[in-house]
Amino acid sequence: MQKGSVGGSIRLGVNIDHVATIRNARGGGHPDPVRAAVTAAQAGADGITAHLREDRRHISDRDIDRLVAEMGLPLNLEMAATEEMLEIALRHKPHAVCLVPEKREELTTEGGLDAAAHHNHLSYYVERLASNGSRVSLFVEPSKVQFAVAVAMGAQVVELHTGAYCDAMSEGDLSRAADLLKRLEEGAAEASAMGLEVHAGHGLTFDTVGALARVPEVVELNIGHFLIGEAIFSGLESAIKRMRALMDQARAEISGNRTA
Ligand code: PXP
């Protein structure tokens, strides 16, 4: 089965932003996000995700230069739809670009893009990036309206925002978590039926990854903050290997159910 296919195996993209957050707390070069990317590859990651923010609070321009030059895995560049970021992405031609909403004051990406409201603005970026050879994805909430707009713009991929589900789980609000998970499951099926490749991410942990990896239409998960935090206790390689194993186990469960 092709890596990352509906109901088949599932890809893990490791987001290394917060290795750079720790480095930037002191300046200098340690810990090095590119070294983290190499370790992630050895531990079973299928790709590396990095978000180059307007304020450069973690990943820097030089990190992107080095990731493209030195790393063997495909790069998924997360970026806001601005002229500055477009110029950088066109120059580097990363394997994938994920367009995300970005607010200077937020701690992390707080919600999905409103692709419907910003259709005219975003479609220019989707078109420029896709014609330059990158796979373009839109980071959205699970909404049919957003999927329809993504298709109309020519985006090949949507990444579903799992933050609200993960927050509900960590707050112990299981009934809200179940509703949010159901919406993610339905959304993944709707997006896939509309011809979009479905990714998911934000806030995923060892406790929440299985539920998303069991959604057959989800072919890639992008995970960062939890893995970098967990690396403090068990090491990066071990944390990624455990995440990978949990994803593979969840996937094996659904393919077992399908053949049973
Ligand atoms: N996917 C997208 C589009 C994101 O913006 C982020 C956060 O940068 C992630 C996945 C990873 O989220 P987390 O760091 O919470 O695992």
Side-chain angles (χ1 to χ4, degrees), residues 4 11 135 156-159 191 195-199 217 219-220:
R11 295 191 299 264
R135 276 178 81 68
Q156 293 156 292
V157 182
V158 281
E159 179 159 332
L196 292 159
E197 183 172 302
V198 184
H199 301 177
E217 295 84 4
V219 302
E220 178 175 309

Side-chain angles (χ1 to χ4, degrees), residues 18 24-26 36 45 50 57 91 93 122 129-130 139 152 218 248 255:
H18 297 299
N24 295 358
R26 279 290 172 95
R57 66 176 69 161
R91 188 156 34 87
K93 211 188 272 223
L122 289 172
L129 291 161
F139 190 40
V218 173
D248 292 343
S255 58

Side-chain angles (χ1 to χ4, degrees), residues 212-225:
L212 270 301
R214 270 190 288 274
V215 181
E217 295 84 4
V218 173
V219 302
E220 178 175 309
L221 294 175
N222 286 302
I223 310 179
H225 183 268

